[in-house]
Amino acid sequence: MEKNIEVSLLFDFYGELLKPSGRQAIDLYYNDDLSLAEIADQTKITRQGVRDSIKRCEQQLFDFEKKLGLYKRFCELEKGLEEISATAREIFDNSHDNNIKALADKIKSTADALKE
């Protein structure tokens, strides 16, 4: 996965654990696509200070994921729910029993709701 996307996703999971100044720098850099100079101007710190803050926060995000694994677990759950939904859809399509169809439809609906 591209690093920018990965950092953005990790920021969604762990951003609140960062210091406010680092959180702001990461948000402006990755989500608002501002340059280091633009962030420095906006936050009134040096360009090098912004770069250091972003690099430090990136490392913290990767460390949080390594220790907590929330993003990895989220991806596994999402994949599992998709498999459950696909299996329920297959059961529904291949069954002639209305009770089984109703149960398969309920399983699919529940899995789909959990994915949202």
Side-chain angles (χ1 to χ4, degrees), residues 7-69:
V7 170
S8 238
L9 290 169
L10 293 177
F11 181 69
D12 289 343
F13 278 85
Y14 304 112
E16 291 299 314
L17 300 175
L18 300 173
K19 290 181 182 179
S21 60
R23 184 170 51 242
Q24 180 187 23
I26 290 279
D27 186 41
L28 292 171
Y29 188 72
Y30 284 100
N31 295 334
D32 293 345
D33 200 29
L34 296 183
S35 69
L36 296 177
E38 291 170 321
I39 297 168
D41 187 48
Q42 188 170 333
T43 58
K44 307 296 186 229
I45 59 175
T46 65
R47 182 188 173 288
Q48 185 62 43
V50 170
R51 183 188 176 287
D52 291 346
S53 179
I54 289 171
K55 291 298 176 191
R56 185 173 41 258
C57 288
E58 284 174 353
Q59 188 57 53
Q60 287 176 327
L61 292 172
F62 285 106
D63 288 346
F64 291 146
E65 177 59 16
K66 185 177 179 182
K67 290 175 184 174
L68 301 173

Side-chain angles (χ1 to χ4, degrees), residues 73-89 107-116:
R73 184 72 179 133
F74 172 79
C75 290
E76 291 168 351
L77 288 172
E78 197 170 57
K79 181 181 176 189
L81 289 170
E82 184 57 43
E83 289 174 11
I84 290 168
S85 184
T87 302
R89 198 170 28 256
I107 291 169
K108 182 186 174 308
S109 296
T110 302
D112 291 344
L114 289 171
K115 286 191 299 185
E116 292 179 5

